[in-house]
Amino acid sequence: MNESYKIHLSEKEMPDAWYNILPELPTPLAPPLHPATGKPVTPDDLKPIFPDALIAQEMSSETWIEIPSEVKEIYKLWRPSPLHRARNLEKALGTPARIYYKNESVSPPGSHKPNTAVAQAYYNKKAGVKRLATETGAGQWGSALSFACKLFGIQCTVYMVKVSYYQKPYRRILMHVWDGEVYPSPTDRTNTGRAALAKNPDAKGSLGMAISEAVEDAATHEDTNYALGSVLNHVLLHQTVIGLEAQKQLALAEDKADIVLGCVGGGSNFGGIALPFARDKIKGKSNVELIGIEPASCPTLTKGQYRYDYGDTAGMTPLMLMHTLGHSFEPPGIHAGGLRYHGDAPVLCNLVHSGLITARAYTQNPVFEAALLFARTEGIVPAPETSHVIKGAIDEALKCKETGEEKCILFCFSGHGHFDLAVYDDYLEGKLVDYEYPEEKIAEALRDLPKFPTGI
Amino acid sequence: MNESYKIHLSEKEMPDAWYNILPELPTPLAPPLHPATGKPVTPDDLKPIFPDALIAQEMSSETWIEIPSEVKEIYKLWRPSPLHRARNLEKALGTPARIYYKNESVSPPGSHKPNTAVAQAYYNKKAGVKRLATETGAGQWGSALSFACKLFGIQCTVYMVKVSYYQKPYRRILMHVWDGEVYPSPTDRTNTGRAALAKNPDAKGSLGMAISEAVEDAATHEDTNYALGSVLNHVLLHQTVIGLEAQKQLALAEDKADIVLGCVGGGSNFGGIALPFARDKIKGKSNVELIGIEPASCPTLTKGQYRYDYGDTAGMTPLMLMHTLGHSFEPPGIHAGGLRYHGDAPVLCNLVHSGLITARAYTQNPVFEAALLFARTEGIVPAPETSHVIKGAIDEALKCKETGEEKCILFCFSGHGHFDLAVYDDYLEGKLVDYEYPEEKIAEALRDLPKFPTGI
């Protein structure tokens, strides 16, 4: 057995291709529907905002899609990311389980987000696009895309939810350091923004509003495209580099995962680590348990309905078949900003629906108790989002302690908490509230949504 | 030639011993002098605040001192740290030079500081000490020691300069995350602090005051010792793990350093990377240039006088032979808080005095211009301190561009700037002032200091 704390791959051992699960799903993925016609979206519908290469990936039937060498060169600034064996955490828990975490916090922006940001910037640059527009809530995605655009020499415009723009200045500064232009949304740069400001000059903004502004910016400027940091098939595709590396690293450690976990907001880090393992499961080669962890305040996979819904609050994006709390869902003020999406990646929802993936929800206080134990044993301070999966992994390890099972537990350490320390202060001072989103509100939010057959 | 961006060592290749330069210095190190008697300090003088093992290391004549396995186990959470080849930066500069940086920002507290914090916590724990007291300015050292103490199960008390305590809440929270207790200094916990508060209840504090409080706390409590994060011989000793690893990594890259640089505050990260290379130079095996980079606002090595001076503002610590601006030096409000010390490690000063090391000073704006170029090519956002050495390395690479020389440049990337982003905002908004500390003020500060012969 390997005695190391960290398992490194050399840059040459980085995967040459991303894994595309679409052609191997046990149930085919239902297509996205056009919001105006209710008909399946065509590639042409997406051309105003995405380059052809990404549209092709979104619908590809190839199992493996080569990672371009230009993307790999940028990945090499921090990839392959290390796989850590959490020996100190195991000792503190007294568990016979082996706990591994794939450390995506080593990227310059501090999370897994640049895995897709770099790929998206590359394909847009190659298509002659001069500028990418996007939205950001807490700032993780906006900073990752600013970083990626700078490295490929294209411009990045970020619509940042106004309340976060002023409350989280560090993330905004980080985007400026990477030369991104950042505007507090709603802005006067778009029709949507101007209409919102006319209605309420003090509007605090929302992720839905920022998405609408970014999409409008991209759709109305010839040289500008739009980029999304989660949910879509091509985003999860790019993130599979996480799971593919982890599989090689576990093999080097002469180990094999029994349980794989990730936190779930839109689903990109969990999809990234889990899909390559799901492949083995689909092919009957493994019995690995795949568990998505979400906040009880935004319990999409655990309490949401599986049906077609819009991707944004305003109902302007295509409808997707997914577990949803209703696109009018108003997230309560929890600290894990990256986990507040009303839906989830259709690919993940498909796998949950077919029973290949399970999900679990936690409230905030037990999550930060777990995060603190992690920081005090393994050292690294986890992001609030990442703290959710740590709680999940610890619970699995404690089950092993009870049963005596020596399971191998792997989770995705999606990001560090260096820009989120205020929440630790709140936790230590007992200020965090445990809140479970009420099921009645979900039913109510979905009451008026038109139903589409799931088998389109 | 190696094509990689990063050169990793396995955990087994981590050095087994730290390098102690004391017995190999071309000119023996002048002893520290007792502040009351002016006589050389004896081990007994240090016993109230340091454990025997560290006192022995402070004066050791052994060239190699074994790294205890317990310390290595903690190091393995992040060590060996990666050596990066700055290929993107080289391309942006158009230089024929090869630039490498040893990335110490990967430690949980984000800097090189835990290399010695972990060792100090270990030796104190072994000596039965229950608590360590220390001071911190901007918070780098306080967070590193809190982290190290937590991992060895001893308590950590940090006296944090009051103005930083309130201005830099993130570093304070980080210490709390690792269970350190943090007090804004001056406090009412010590005689020194109470006297200061009696004189001025609104005192903002200073590093000198915080040192005095921490030393008093340690000296007046049986179970408590003191820990210092730089300057002392044993601190530089522990940091040599940086340079020793870098030498192995350069050998793996089939390269050899022509120039080694580090930023200098108290001297621990520069000493850490440079001393193993100084050894080769002393032994006539290499002609490597060793360059310390400091801020023009605190030009210790470039403009300070080489003479005995106190280590602290109050004149309570032993006198050390070093380059000094005078212990009453009041650092101007520059952003690189870790580089504002009035003196420097006696070992480094000894080597500067004997011509083995040179030094250079820069003002703030060119330093942050360099930091921004680094962040926009290599990705990682450097700490303000680290930004100084980046400017130095870039200047050496640009010289090579002029001369066509293909030099190998190595520098210590001492820490990331995740907790210092406000200074980037100030730089981008043109608010940083370039300030050079005037020589007259140095002469004045040193006028009344008693002179001791340097050859004691």
Side-chain angles (χ1 to χ4, degrees):
Chain A
M1 183 62 70
N2 195 306
E3 298 277 310
S4 303
Y5 283 73
K6 304 176 299 304
I7 299 127
H8 282 290
L9 295 178
S10 71
E11 291 166 15
K12 281 184 189 155
E13 292 167 299
M14 202 193 293
D16 293 316
W18 294 299
Y19 168 57
N20 176 27
I21 200 168
L22 295 182
E24 302 194 326
L25 284 173
T27 320
L29 198 69
L33 305 180
H34 197 287
T37 64
K39 303 273 179 220
V41 165
T42 66
D44 278 349
D45 293 331
L46 301 174
K47 283 194 179 190
I49 58 167
F50 292 121
D52 289 349
L54 291 177
I55 296 171
Q57 289 181 3
E58 189 64 21
M59 306 171 172
S60 172
S61 55
E62 302 291 323
T63 308
W64 297 99
I65 294 176
E66 198 189 335
I67 307 178
S69 63
E70 294 88 341
V71 171
K72 283 175 101 172
E73 289 302 296
I74 305 292
Y75 276 180
K76 286 178 190 172
L77 289 176
W78 74 96
R79 301 208 73 85
S81 68
L83 181 73
H84 295 245
R85 171 85 183 270
R87 294 182 188 273
N88 289 355
L89 177 61
E90 290 170 17
K91 243 178 269 169
L93 296 172
T95 177
R98 298 178 302 288
I99 306 175
Y100 296 88
Y101 59 98
K102 179 72 170 156
N103 186 359
E104 293 296 309
S105 78
V106 298
S107 77
S111 80
H112 66 292
K113 292 286 184 192
N115 296 333
T116 185
V118 168
Q120 292 190 48
Y122 165 75
Y123 288 114
N124 276 289
K125 164 87 175 183
K126 214 180 148 196
V129 170
K130 301 276 180 258
R131 187 166 67 92
L132 285 179
T134 198
E135 70 286 337
T136 202
Q140 277 281 14
W141 170 243
S143 52
L145 194 67
S146 298
F147 159 77
C149 284
K150 187 66 195 172
L151 286 169
F152 281 110
I154 61 181
Q155 221 184 314
C156 184
T157 303
V158 182
Y159 295 85
M160 186 171 187
V161 177
K162 196 191 272 175
V163 60
S164 299
Y165 182 93
Y166 292 108
Q167 271 177 9
K168 307 213 166 187
Y170 266 37
R171 280 272 171 208
R172 168 180 59 75
I173 299 171
L174 195 56
M175 293 182 247
H176 285 156
V177 164
W178 287 316
D179 213 12
E181 45 173 21
V182 193
Y183 299 100
S185 164
T187 73
D188 59 3
R189 295 169 52 87
T190 65
N191 289 329
T192 321
R194 283 186 291 269
L197 288 174
K199 217 169 143 188
N200 175 11
D202 299 322
K204 286 182 182 172
S206 68
L207 201 57
M209 167 59 62
I211 293 178
S212 303
E213 288 208 279
V215 171
E216 183 184 327
D217 184 342
T220 55
H221 292 90
E222 191 61 43
D223 64 350
T224 303
N225 266 346
Y226 171 71
L228 192 68
S230 193
V231 178
L232 299 181
N233 303 339
H234 69 268
V235 175
L236 269 65
L237 170 77
H238 302 149
Q239 294 292 358
T240 59
V241 67
I242 302 173
L244 294 168
E245 284 181 7
Q247 287 183 323
K248 288 191 184 192
Q249 287 163 311
L250 280 180
L252 282 179
E254 294 169 43
D255 215 334
K256 202 168 180 306
D258 296 306
I259 305 171
V260 175
L261 307 101
C263 63
V264 184
S268 80
N269 92 77
F270 179 48
I273 198 162
L275 295 184
F277 290 90
R279 178 172 208 233
D280 293 345
K281 210 169 165 176
I282 291 167
K283 295 193 171 293
K285 286 194 213 160
S286 116
N287 245 331
V288 62
E289 251 190 284
L290 306 172
I291 310 175
I293 308 288
E294 57 185 17
S297 53
C298 182
T300 328
L301 293 175
T302 50
K303 290 190 183 167
Q305 292 185 22
Y306 189 59
R307 59 189 287 183
Y308 270 102
D309 197 358
Y310 300 98
D312 66 333
T313 317
M316 290 166 62
T317 71
L319 293 124
M320 294 174 289
L321 179 57
M322 57 185 179
H323 290 84
T324 178
L325 305 174
H327 64 279
S328 62
F329 170 74
E330 284 186 18
I334 61 156
H335 285 278
L339 304 182
R340 282 187 292 196
Y341 189 58
H342 69 275
D344 268 312
V347 161
L348 282 191
C349 294
N350 174 298
L351 290 168
V352 168
H353 194 65
S354 64
L356 282 159
I357 285 179
T358 57
R360 191 182 300 162
Y362 291 111
T363 58
Q364 293 194 98
N365 280 297
V367 159
F368 282 97
E369 187 190 353
L372 218 61
L373 176 62
F374 188 88
R376 290 175 176 182
T377 51
E378 295 296 313
I380 319 177
V381 180
E385 292 81 2
T386 312
S387 303
H388 285 74
V389 70
I390 292 173
K391 169 65 177 160
I394 287 177
D395 277 3
E396 290 302 316
L398 291 176
K399 276 188 216 164
C400 289
K401 188 178 178 178
E402 273 180 34
T403 62
E405 287 174 292
E406 298 180 359
K407 287 190 180 174
C408 170
I409 299 168
L410 166 70
F411 71 89
C412 182
F413 190 93
S414 53
H416 62 62
H418 296 173
F419 303 113
D420 309 283
L421 283 178
V423 63
Y424 282 92
D425 214 22
D426 287 349
Y427 171 70
L428 289 166
E429 291 182 9
K431 287 184 190 165
L432 291 192
V433 176
D434 281 334
Y435 174 79
E436 298 196 35
Y437 198 76
E439 304 214 29
E440 313 85 75
K441 282 180 87 168
I442 301 168
E444 194 187 320
L446 291 164
R447 193 171 303 141
D448 298 328
L449 185 71
K451 283 213 175 186
F452 293 88
T454 57
I456 285 176
Chain B
M1 184 62 71
N2 195 307
E3 299 277 310
S4 304
Y5 284 73
K6 304 176 300 303
I7 298 129
H8 281 290
L9 294 178
S10 72
E11 291 166 17
K12 281 185 190 155
E13 292 167 298
M14 201 194 294
D16 293 315
W18 294 299
Y19 168 56
N20 176 27
I21 200 169
L22 295 181
E24 303 195 324
L25 284 173
T27 319
L29 197 69
L33 305 180
H34 197 288
T37 63
K39 304 274 180 220
V41 165
T42 65
D44 278 349
D45 292 332
L46 301 173
K47 284 195 178 191
I49 59 168
F50 292 122
D52 290 349
L54 291 177
I55 297 171
Q57 289 180 2
E58 189 63 21
M59 306 171 172
S60 173
S61 55
E62 301 291 324
T63 307
W64 296 99
I65 293 176
E66 197 190 335
I67 307 179
S69 62
E70 294 88 340
V71 170
K72 283 174 98 171
E73 289 303 294
I74 305 293
Y75 277 179
K76 286 177 189 171
L77 289 176
W78 74 95
R79 301 207 74 85
S81 68
L83 181 73
H84 296 245
R85 171 86 183 269
R87 294 181 187 276
N88 289 355
L89 177 62
E90 289 170 19
K91 243 177 269 171
L93 296 173
T95 177
R98 299 179 302 289
I99 307 175
Y100 295 88
Y101 59 99
K102 180 71 170 158
N103 187 358
E104 293 295 309
S105 78
V106 298
S107 77
S111 80
H112 66 293
K113 292 286 183 192
N115 295 334
T116 184
V118 169
Q120 292 189 48
Y122 165 75
Y123 289 114
N124 276 289
K125 164 86 175 184
K126 216 180 149 197
V129 170
K130 301 275 181 257
R131 187 166 67 93
L132 285 180
T134 199
E135 71 286 337
T136 203
Q140 277 281 13
W141 171 243
S143 53
L145 194 66
S146 297
F147 159 75
C149 284
K150 187 64 194 172
L151 286 170
F152 282 110
I154 61 181
Q155 223 184 312
C156 184
T157 303
V158 182
Y159 294 86
M160 186 171 187
V161 177
K162 197 192 271 175
V163 61
S164 298
Y165 182 93
Y166 291 109
Q167 271 178 7
K168 307 213 165 186
Y170 267 36
R171 280 273 172 207
R172 168 179 58 75
I173 299 170
L174 196 55
M175 294 182 245
H176 285 156
V177 164
W178 286 316
D179 213 13
E181 44 173 22
V182 194
Y183 299 100
S185 166
T187 74
D188 59 3
R189 295 168 53 87
T190 65
N191 289 329
T192 322
R194 282 185 293 268
L197 289 174
K199 216 169 144 189
N200 175 10
D202 298 322
K204 286 182 181 174
S206 68
L207 201 57
M209 167 59 62
I211 293 178
S212 303
E213 288 208 280
V215 171
E216 182 184 328
D217 184 342
T220 54
H221 291 91
E222 191 61 44
D223 64 350
T224 303
N225 266 346
Y226 172 69
L228 192 68
S230 191
V231 178
L232 299 182
N233 303 340
H234 69 267
V235 175
L236 269 65
L237 170 78
H238 302 149
Q239 294 293 357
T240 59
V241 67
I242 302 173
L244 294 168
E245 285 181 7
Q247 287 183 322
K248 287 191 185 192
Q249 287 163 313
L250 280 179
L252 282 179
E254 295 168 44
D255 215 334
K256 203 169 179 305
D258 297 304
I259 306 171
V260 176
L261 307 101
C263 62
V264 184
S268 79
N269 91 76
F270 179 48
I273 198 162
L275 296 184
F277 290 91
R279 178 170 208 232
D280 294 345
K281 210 168 165 179
I282 291 167
K283 294 193 172 292
K285 286 194 214 159
S286 117
N287 245 332
V288 62
E289 250 190 286
L290 306 173
I291 310 176
I293 308 289
E294 56 185 19
S297 53
C298 183
T300 328
L301 292 175
T302 48
K303 290 192 183 166
Q305 292 185 21
Y306 189 58
R307 58 189 288 184
Y308 269 103
D309 196 359
Y310 300 98
D312 66 332
T313 316
M316 290 166 62
T317 70
L319 293 124
M320 295 174 289
L321 179 58
M322 57 184 180
H323 291 82
T324 178
L325 305 174
H327 63 278
S328 60
F329 170 74
E330 284 187 18
I334 61 155
H335 285 278
L339 304 183
R340 281 187 293 195
Y341 188 58
H342 70 274
D344 267 313
V347 160
L348 282 190
C349 294
N350 174 298
L351 290 168
V352 168
H353 194 65
S354 64
L356 282 159
I357 285 179
T358 57
R360 191 183 301 162
Y362 292 110
T363 57
Q364 293 193 98
N365 280 298
V367 159
F368 281 97
E369 187 190 353
L372 217 61
L373 176 62
F374 188 89
R376 291 175 176 183
T377 50
E378 295 297 313
I380 318 177
V381 180
E385 293 80 3
T386 312
S387 303
H388 285 74
V389 70
I390 292 172
K391 169 67 178 159
I394 287 177
D395 276 4
E396 290 302 316
L398 290 176
K399 275 189 218 165
C400 289
K401 188 178 179 178
E402 274 180 34
T403 63
E405 286 174 293
E406 298 182 0
K407 287 191 179 173
C408 170
I409 299 169
L410 167 69
F411 71 88
C412 182
F413 190 92
S414 53
H416 63 62
H418 297 173
F419 303 113
D420 308 284
L421 283 178
V423 65
Y424 283 92
D425 214 22
D426 287 350
Y427 171 70
L428 289 166
E429 291 182 10
K431 287 185 191 164
L432 290 193
V433 176
D434 281 335
Y435 174 79
E436 298 196 36
Y437 199 75
E439 304 214 30
E440 313 85 76
K441 283 179 86 167
I442 302 168
E444 192 187 321
L446 291 165
R447 193 172 302 142
D448 299 327
L449 185 71
K451 282 213 176 186
F452 293 87
T454 57
I456 286 177

